Amino acid sequence: MNVDHRGWRRIVKLDPARPLSDERLAAVRSWGADAIVVGGSGGYGAEEVRMLLDRVRLKSPPGALGAPTAPEALATPVALEISDARAVCPGFDLYLVPMVLNSSDVDWVMGHHQAAIKRYADVIDWRKVVVEGYCVLNADATVARLSGARATMGIDDVVAFARLAEHLLKLPIFYLEYSGTYGPPEVVSAVRRVLSSTRLWYGGGIRTRAQAREMAALADTIVVGNAVYEGHDPFGTS
Ligand code: 1GP
């Protein structure tokens, strides 16, 4: 199992607040993504997170027709993306912590993080924590509203955020977040050109294999979320 995020090229993001049938979960697992990330924009607590983790880890739900007596564990790493410190549970391979770099609210840059560290410092395993520098670029997305992101900006501003992530903050990940809509490849390619040590993640609106190919050629890592719930198959091979 590769728990080093630097080796991940294709990620599936599952939202604990959204219903997902066993059949669909099994189909998604068969895509062979490099990692599964559990995360969303709220509407769930630690119990929903734990239940989804348990379902994701099993190859077949216990008692399902044709399921092995002892369900086999999934070999794919599973990470939790923390957007609410109250919705955290143990057992994940990695914990991803978003900083919304283009938020107008300091809480989304580091305030919530400071409060969570103050409360949970004794139980945090820092070896499993990785920071993501988010640049939220779809103004209509829930994450943009929640975080007060200044989502409408030109390519030069986005590129400056990418440089800031790499050179000022030394972040491991710069995440171009177009959640819900397919972003312009020219933005991704402009950011690609200025990043070297910070890895570039792209997420947003990938529904087809052609879109997955296009963004995978520009970003280090691509993330698929909504497609899981809409019945699309951007990572499928059949
Ligand atoms: C969401 O970037 C991910 O955080 C993926 O976006 O849901 O639009 O695929 P979609």
Side-chain angles (χ1 to χ4, degrees):
M1 182 189 301
N2 184 6
V3 296
D4 182 350
H5 70 87
R6 289 169 299 186
W8 298 350
R9 293 277 293 140
R10 304 184 310 162
I11 291 177
V12 171
K13 196 183 280 190
L14 300 179
D15 186 339
R18 297 175 82 171
L20 184 65
S21 70
D22 289 336
E23 292 69 28
R24 185 64 180 152
L25 180 55
V28 167
R29 268 189 306 219
S30 74
W31 292 351
D34 299 306
I36 292 176
V37 170
V38 170
S41 299
Y44 56 87
E47 184 57 16
E48 286 76 17
V49 169
R50 191 193 57 75
M51 284 192 305
L52 183 53
L53 173 63
D54 287 350
R55 290 182 66 208
V56 167
R57 288 262 194 230
L58 300 179
K59 267 191 181 153
S60 316
L65 205 58
T69 329
E72 296 170 73
L74 181 77
T76 309
V78 188
L80 178 65
E81 186 172 59
I82 304 174
S83 47
D84 178 346
R86 292 164 303 183
V88 175
C89 77
F92 284 87
D93 298 303
L94 211 66
Y95 292 84
L96 299 167
V97 177
M99 291 174 79
V100 182
L101 302 178
N102 62 329
S103 172
S104 53
D105 179 350
V106 71
D107 277 348
W108 285 86
V109 186
M110 61 181 76
H112 294 312
H113 317 64
Q114 187 267 352
I117 290 168
K118 184 177 170 191
R119 186 160 178 186
Y120 300 111
D122 292 346
V123 294
I124 298 173
D125 179 351
W126 291 106
R127 295 166 301 181
K128 291 187 173 183
V129 177
V130 175
V131 181
E132 306 161 301
Y134 261 69
C135 193
V136 175
L137 294 166
N138 174 14
D140 296 326
T142 308
V143 60
R145 272 188 292 105
L146 283 176
S147 67
R150 289 187 294 252
T152 308
M153 62 172 101
I155 290 187
D156 48 350
D157 281 310
V158 179
V159 165
F161 271 116
R163 291 189 201 272
L164 181 152
E166 175 156 319
H167 298 291
L168 289 191
L169 300 179
K170 316 274 185 209
L171 296 182
I173 296 165
F174 182 69
Y175 192 138
L176 282 175
E177 172 65 292
Y178 280 90
S179 181
T181 192
Y182 192 66
E186 53 270 28
V187 173
V188 189
S189 98
V191 169
R192 163 79 290 151
R193 285 195 289 275
V194 301
L195 290 182
S196 49
S197 51
T198 296
R199 291 185 66 83
L200 173 56
W201 287 22
Y202 171 85
I206 295 177
R207 292 182 170 83
T208 67
R209 291 171 204 186
Q211 289 172 329
R213 269 197 305 276
E214 181 174 48
M215 287 305 184
L218 301 171
D220 293 308
T221 304
I222 57 171
V223 184
V224 161
N226 280 300
V228 169
Y229 300 91
E230 295 168 352
H232 302 293
D233 198 2
F235 290 166
T237 48
S238 58

